[in-house]
Amino acid sequence: MSFSRRMRDVGVAVAMMVLIVLIIVRLSDGSVETIGGAARAKDGDSITLDGRRVRLIGMDAPEMSQICKRDDGEWRCGVAARSRLAELMRAGPVTCRVQGKDKYDRLLSRCEANGIDLGERMVREGLAVAYGDYEHEEQLAKAERKGLWGSTFDRPQDWRRMNGRQSEGVHTAEPGLVGRILGLLGLD
């Protein structure tokens, strides 16, 4: 057997071992924490659930002090978003599937109350915009001129920037070990 063939065989074996390790790590890293309990709306896209700060992932609601404009005047769209989220959570127990944490140490989660996906409903009713997910629901709300789409408004991320608030990127979970390894390899 030639030296180059041995090196190729060693390379293939190493690549297979790395792949096996990645699969094992992915399977062990793939468990999703589910939390539930007493919840209250902090604003239109953040809740406190059993004493833990949770950010609904995939959507972005107006800030509490954000004002939007309709033909008949101004309305407090941020307050309206929080009120509607609070109302939706009263429908039943709130359960969240945690997908990671953001840079503010909030749990990034998909949450439901009585089987209703809270982020999906908020975007569908036009009280939040798609922010990494729920694009279809946003298009439906926009076509029907629901909530924000029946008014003049700044997207929450734009409003934060224009009002001296820290800009936030699309909320995605911090990558786990596999995500970091794939990122280093340029495969993410």
Side-chain angles (χ1 to χ4, degrees):
M1 189 182 287
S2 72
F3 178 77
S4 62
R5 186 169 177 196
R6 282 187 203 148
M7 291 307 295
R8 186 189 68 213
D9 290 345
V10 167
V12 169
V14 168
M16 288 175 56
M17 292 299 290
V18 168
L19 182 59
I20 290 168
V21 168
L22 287 173
I23 291 169
I24 291 169
V25 169
R26 180 68 171 165
L27 291 174
S28 65
D29 203 35
S31 63
V32 175
E33 178 185 7
T34 301
I35 60 173
R40 68 179 175 78
K42 183 177 181 295
D43 57 29
D45 53 29
S46 300
I47 65 174
T48 302
L49 178 61
D50 203 26
R52 299 168 83 180
R53 295 179 331 139
V54 176
R55 171 63 163 82
L56 301 179
I57 197 169
M59 52 85 91
D60 198 14
E63 296 297 319
M64 287 297 294
S65 56
Q66 189 168 344
I67 304 292
C68 300
K69 294 180 178 135
R70 292 186 178 141
D71 293 336
D72 58 350
E74 296 181 339
W75 64 294
R76 299 180 65 197
C77 50
V79 171
R82 180 185 63 187
S83 295
R84 181 60 177 142
L85 181 58
E87 182 181 341
L88 289 169
M89 291 190 308
R90 285 193 293 272
V94 175
T95 304
C96 297
R97 291 181 321 278
V98 179
Q99 298 183 9
K101 288 186 177 186
D102 68 6
K103 62 184 178 181
Y104 304 107
D105 205 35
R106 297 177 296 189
L107 301 175
L108 296 172
S109 306
R110 294 206 182 278
C111 299
E112 294 183 350
N114 202 28
I116 297 168
D117 180 318
L118 297 173
E120 179 181 0
R121 180 63 64 91
M122 291 293 290
V123 173
R124 180 64 181 95
E125 291 184 8
L127 291 170
V129 297
Y131 205 52
D133 201 358
Y134 306 120
E135 286 81 9
H136 177 72
E137 289 77 8
E138 180 178 287
Q139 291 304 315
L140 292 172
K142 190 184 289 190
E144 296 170 5
R145 300 187 45 80
K146 287 189 172 184
L148 298 169
W149 304 106
S151 65
T152 302
F153 72 100
D154 294 311
R155 285 188 171 267
Q157 63 268 32
D158 296 334
W159 187 92
R160 286 189 293 270
R161 187 184 67 252
M162 292 184 300
N163 288 276
R165 305 261 176 98
Q166 187 172 11
S167 181
E168 297 182 28
V170 174
H171 293 96
T172 55
E174 293 293 322
L177 178 60
V178 172
R180 287 191 292 275
I181 291 170
L182 292 175
L184 289 172
L185 297 173
L187 302 173
D188 56 346

